[in-house]
Amino acid sequence: MKLLKPFLFVLFATSASFAQVVSQKSNSITLDLSGITPSITWMTPQTYETSVTEKLYSVKVGVKSEGKLKSADLYLNDQLVGESRGFKPAGTGYDKVIERDITLKPGDNIIKVVATSMDDITSTDMRVLKMAGTTPLASNRTDYALLFGNDEYDEWTDLFNPVKDAQTIAQELKENYGFQTEVVLNATTSEIMAKLREYAKKSYQPNDQLFIFFAGHGQFDEIFTEGYLVGKDSKVNDPGKTSYISHSTLRTVVNNIPANHIFLTLDACFGGTFDPMVARAGSRGMDDMYSDITRSEFIERRLRWKTRKYVTSGGKQYVADGKPGGHSPFARKFLQALRDYGGQDKILTLQELQGYLLNLRMEPHAGEFGDNEPGSDFVFVAR
C-alpha cells in the first residue's frame, strides 16, 4: 500500500479532468471513465465554414463516449432538428451517428451538435453553412422589356393596333411589374436589328430577365419554308426576302443575347413558324411546372436554368389585328393575364400566361429555342 499512495497522487494531479477513480479490488485496478467528455466527429460538413448553393443539405456526425451516452442532438440556427432516434449497429466506431437533411436559409446557417454523457458532462461543436446563390434573386434581379410596334409601312398595308399594343403592354410592365421598358415604333428592318444588337452588347446579372415583343406584319414563304418579320421598309415584291428578318436569323440573334432568361413574343401573322417544326408540321406545348413550394422558392427554382422561351399569336396562319383603336385579340388576352397580376402569389408564369391565350380563335403557339434548359421559366412578378 505504500506504493499506491504516490501513484494516486500523480494520477489525480495529471488527469483530474478525466475524473478517473482508482479502486483496488481483488488485487487489480479499475478505471471509471464515465466522466470523460463525449467526442464529436463531423463527416459532413468537415470544415468549420462551408459555402453551398443547394437549400437541402445532408449533415452526418459521429458521437463517441468512453462511458454511457445520454443524448446527442442536432440544432440548426438554435432550433432542434428533430429527435435523434436509435443507435447505429456495432462496427461504425461511434456510439451514435446523426444523419439529417436540413433546409437552409439564405446567408449563414449555424449547425450545432450537443452531446451529453450519463453523468451530464456535455460536449458542443458547431459548423457554419453559407447559403449562396439565392439573395441576388430578390435584390439584384433586373427585368427588361424591349417592345416593337409597327403599324405604318412603306409598301405593306398599314395596321391599326400594333403601336398601341406595344405601348400599353410596356406601361403595364413598367408600372405594375417593375420592368425597365423600351418601345421602338415603326422600325425598319435595319433599325430592328440594330436595337437587338444593342441589347446583345449589354451586361446582365445571372438572374436578369429580358422580354422581347413584336407586333406587326409577318410573312411566310412556302418555297424557303421560312417565316419572316416585316419591317416598315420591307418590300411587297421581294423574292429573295432580303428586306425581311427571317425567323432563323431572329432565333440566332435572340439566343445569343447574353441575358440568362429571355422570353420572346410575336404577335404577327405566321408567328408560329418561328418554330421550324411548325413551319413543316405541328406544334409543341409548354414544360411542366412546380407546385407546393413558397413564393420565393418558386421564383428561385424557375430562374435556376437558362431560359429561351417564346409564344406567338398563331401558328402557320394569319392572325387578326383587331378593331381600330383597340387591341389585337392576342394583345387583349396578354393584357388580361398581366392585369390579373399572377393571382394570389402575384407571380405570372409562362404556363399561366398560356392559359389565358388558349381560347383564342387563332390558337397561340408556345415552345423553346436555342440554349433553353429543361425546367426553365420566365416570371412576371407583380409589385
Side-chain angles (χ1 to χ4, degrees):
M1 294 301 295
K2 291 182 180 181
L3 295 177
L4 180 60
K5 289 182 180 179
F7 174 75
L8 283 172
F9 173 77
V10 173
L11 176 64
F12 280 97
T14 58
S15 305
S17 61
F18 293 93
Q20 292 178 319
V21 179
V22 181
S23 63
Q24 183 177 13
K25 184 177 181 181
S26 303
N27 297 321
S28 65
I29 297 175
T30 302
L31 300 181
D32 183 359
L33 301 177
S34 62
I36 296 179
T37 303
S39 64
I40 298 172
T41 302
W42 294 87
M43 288 171 265
T44 57
Q46 293 183 339
T47 58
Y48 177 77
E49 187 174 291
T50 305
S51 295
V52 297
T53 56
E54 298 292 332
K55 295 191 69 173
L56 196 64
Y57 188 88
S58 295
V59 174
K60 187 174 182 180
V61 185
V63 181
K64 184 175 179 60
S65 178
E66 295 299 334
K68 293 183 178 180
L69 186 64
K70 182 178 181 180
S71 65
D73 296 307
L74 177 69
Y75 291 82
L76 172 62
N77 299 320
D78 291 326
Q79 298 294 318
L80 182 65
V81 183
E83 179 64 24
S84 185
R85 297 181 181 177
F87 289 79
K88 286 289 182 180
T92 63
Y94 299 99
D95 296 312
K96 180 177 283 190
V97 175
I98 302 173
E99 292 185 79
R100 292 287 185 276
D101 289 333
I102 58 175
T103 301
L104 306 178
K105 64 176 181 62
D108 290 353
N109 296 264
I110 309 299
I111 53 175
K112 179 173 63 176
V113 171
V114 179
T116 305
S117 64
M118 290 301 294
D119 55 351
D120 293 326
I121 294 180
T122 298
S123 178
T124 301
D125 200 7
M126 65 178 59
R127 293 289 186 267
V128 179
L129 294 174
K130 290 182 172 292
M131 177 62 184
T134 56
T135 304
L137 202 64
S139 60
N140 295 332
R141 193 186 85 248
T142 301
D143 295 329
Y144 300 91
L146 174 61
L147 302 98
F148 296 89
N150 277 22
D151 54 20
E152 295 180 1
Y153 296 88
D154 296 340
E155 295 188 14
W156 284 69
T157 304
D158 289 347
L159 298 170
F160 295 118
N161 298 316
V163 167
K164 185 179 179 181
D165 291 345
Q167 290 175 329
T168 306
I169 291 173
Q171 182 180 5
E172 190 68 39
L173 291 175
K174 181 178 181 179
E175 293 181 356
N176 295 303
Y177 290 87
F179 276 69
Q180 294 185 16
T181 61
E182 182 175 5
V183 182
V184 181
L185 302 178
N186 299 314
T188 63
T189 54
S190 62
E191 289 170 341
I192 293 172
M193 293 300 294
K195 183 57 66 176
L196 290 173
R197 183 180 181 85
E198 180 182 321
Y199 274 73
K201 293 168 67 176
K202 286 180 177 287
S203 296
Y204 299 90
Q205 296 299 315
N207 292 308
D208 289 353
Q209 299 188 117
L210 173 60
F211 171 63
I212 302 176
F213 177 87
F214 288 94
H217 275 304
Q219 209 259 358
F220 181 76
D221 188 280
E222 294 285 354
I223 303 299
F224 290 157
T225 320
E226 178 72 280
Y228 299 87
L229 292 180
V230 179
K232 174 179 170 57
D233 60 343
S234 294
K235 306 296 183 182
V236 171
N237 185 18
D238 183 4
K241 306 301 178 186
T242 58
S243 64
Y244 297 78
I245 299 174
S246 70
H247 285 171
S248 57
T249 297
L250 184 63
R251 283 194 302 273
T252 300
V253 169
V254 173
N255 183 55
N256 288 332
I257 294 175
N260 274 345
H261 310 288
I262 298 178
F263 176 40
L264 174 65
T265 299
L266 303 181
D267 187 5
C269 294
F270 306 103
T273 60
F274 179 80
D275 184 342
M277 296 299 294
V278 176
R280 299 181 179 90
S283 63
R284 287 197 304 250
M286 297 290 291
D287 290 333
D288 63 328
M289 295 290 156
Y290 295 98
S291 60
D292 299 328
I293 56 177
T294 67
R295 184 174 188 261
S296 60
E297 288 173 330
F298 183 84
I299 296 173
E300 176 189 340
R301 187 174 294 181
R302 299 318 296 168
L303 296 187
R304 184 181 301 176
W305 313 111
K306 188 172 185 177
T307 308
R308 293 295 185 268
K309 294 288 185 74
Y310 73 89
V311 65
T312 69
S313 56
K316 188 177 175 181
Q317 59 199 178
Y318 293 96
V319 295
D321 183 31
K323 297 178 181 179
H327 294 288
S328 74
F330 178 84
R332 286 179 64 86
K333 289 294 185 181
F334 200 100
L335 283 167
Q336 180 185 345
L338 291 177
R339 289 170 178 172
D340 280 348
Y341 306 113
Q344 186 175 358
D345 63 3
K346 293 188 177 297
I347 303 172
L348 178 66
T349 66
L350 295 188
Q351 186 181 45
E352 290 169 339
L353 173 63
Q354 189 184 12
Y356 285 84
L357 306 174
L358 288 177
N359 62 349
L360 287 167
R361 183 177 298 276
M362 295 299 178
E363 184 178 359
H365 180 74
E368 62 183 59
F369 67 98
D371 297 331
N372 186 73
E373 295 180 337
S376 67
D377 202 352
F378 191 101
V379 293
F380 298 89
V381 182
R383 290 175 168 177

